[in-house]
């Protein structure tokens, strides 16, 4: 089968890591007889340099006419002084919104071989860690009315019932495929949108009697993630809480360079990207860890193309490379094999 993939390499280490993921996809395609066809397109700082704007219409159209999008990272200090409407981050927000990607999946899990990297050590996580943060991605305060008044500024958080329901339903479905525990995170003691969020969760939960649901305030959730992260399976929450909690969850694993993410809408179309940023200080130096992007590519096979054994093959190859001691600088410890971006990609491909 043929699959069309739009590539947004982006800025900083984006090109380094996306190139490795592409080669992993090509190897996987060869092995399982699929044809992955890549179309490169520009967004973020790279698009600002070339066209003067972070998200050209052409880029949106290339993505829309593809089966999925693989994105590296956008942004960097070079574009920090540009006015807010033209910052590289606008490309990311614009893509999410224009492609209708309202559900953001951010898995955080600890690889046994890397458990020493966890800042909490094994003390707080006797049962390991495997959390899926489901973040609402196209609503809330990120997209509400904002502005300046004479002597102030405001941002608005608003949600419709429908916007809450569609992402909550997705979260229940994922919980059902995992350990059947869902924590819904809100600030219902203060925010009206959170009280509506809770009502919708209660309603949707009637369709999932086999999934255990618990409501948690966001401040408590932030604390619980540090105290006892193993209690969580799936966490569903609104856009900004999800931004913050997914960073926290990913850092507990000790290796943000290892975690991929998926942004999805109604159908199978999705955009896949590493959780980490563009790390401009190490761009082009063959140092960056390509694993987060390679695992994002495997999520693409799993969620957009329903190629489960192909996705398994990539995940297992990553596990084998870790198991056999290959480490990029960010996850290196004494006694393991220090390799660069390209050699890590090559090692992973050798196990597929
Ligand atoms: C993320 C990032 C973005 C967000 C920024 C870069 C706009 O932090 O993907 O989590 O806040 O959504
Ligand atoms: Mg973030």
């Amino acid at each position: 089968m043929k699959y069309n993939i739009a590539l947004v390499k982006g800025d900083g280490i984006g090109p380094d890591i996306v190139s490795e993921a592409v080669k992993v996809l090509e190897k996987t395609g060869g092995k399982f007889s699929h044809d992955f066809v890549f179309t490169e397109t520009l967004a973020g700082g790279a698009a600002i340099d070339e066209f003067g704007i972070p998200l050209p219409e052409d880029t949106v159209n290339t993505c829309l006419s593809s089966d999925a999008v693989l994105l590296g990272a956008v942004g960097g200090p070079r574009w920090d002084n540009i006015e807010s409407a033209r910052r590289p981050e606008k490309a990311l927000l614009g893509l999410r919104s224009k492609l209708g990607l309202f559900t953001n999946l951010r898995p955080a899990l600890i690889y046994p071989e890397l458990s020493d990297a966890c800042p909490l050590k094994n003390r707080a996580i006797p049962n390991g860690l495997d959390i899926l943060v489901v973040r609402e991605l196209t609503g809330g305060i990120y997209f509400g009315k904002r502005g300046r008044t004479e002597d102030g500024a405001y941002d608005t958080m608003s949600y419709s019932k429908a916007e809450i329901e569609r992402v909550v339903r997705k979260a229940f479905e994922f919980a059902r495929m995992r350990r059947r525990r869902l924590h819904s995170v809100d600030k219902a003691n203060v925010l009206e949108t959170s009280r509506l969020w809770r009502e919708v969760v209660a309603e949707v939960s009637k369709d999932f009697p086999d999934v255990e649901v618990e409501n948690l305030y966001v401040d408590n959730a932030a604390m619980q993630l540090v105290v006892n992260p193993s209690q969580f399976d799936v966490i569903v929450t609104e856009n900004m809480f999800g931004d913050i909690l997914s960073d926290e969850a990913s850092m507990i694993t000790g290796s943000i360079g290892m975690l991929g993410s998926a942004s999805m809408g109604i159908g199978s179309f999705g955009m896949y990207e590493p959780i980490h940023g563009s790390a401009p200080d190490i761009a082009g130096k063959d140092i960056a860890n390509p694993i987060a992007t390679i695992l994002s590519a495997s999520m693409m096979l799993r969620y957009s193309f329903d190629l489960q054994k192909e996705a398994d093959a990539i995940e297992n190859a990553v596990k084998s490379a870790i198991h056999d001691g290959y480490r990029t600088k960010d996850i290196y410890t004494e006694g393991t094999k220090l390799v660069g971006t390209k050699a890590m990609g090559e090692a992973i491909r050798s196990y597929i």
Side-chain angles (χ1 to χ4, degrees), residues 172-190:
F172 269 102
E173 283 163 7
F174 280 105
R176 187 170 260 175
M177 289 185 263
R178 294 168 50 104
R179 303 191 299 279
R180 295 172 189 260
R181 276 177 70 72
L182 180 66
H183 285 88
S184 175
V185 172
D186 61 43
K187 189 73 187 174
N189 47 350
V190 178

Side-chain angles (χ1 to χ4, degrees), residues 89 96 106 135 142 243:
E89 289 80 3
R96 290 170 181 172
R106 298 191 166 187
R135 168 188 178 192
Y142 271 59
D243 178 44

Side-chain angles (χ1 to χ4, degrees), residues 11-25:
D11 311 319
I13 56 171
D16 308 347
I17 54 183
V18 171
S19 304
E20 291 313 310
V22 164
K23 284 189 246 165
V24 168
L25 282 171

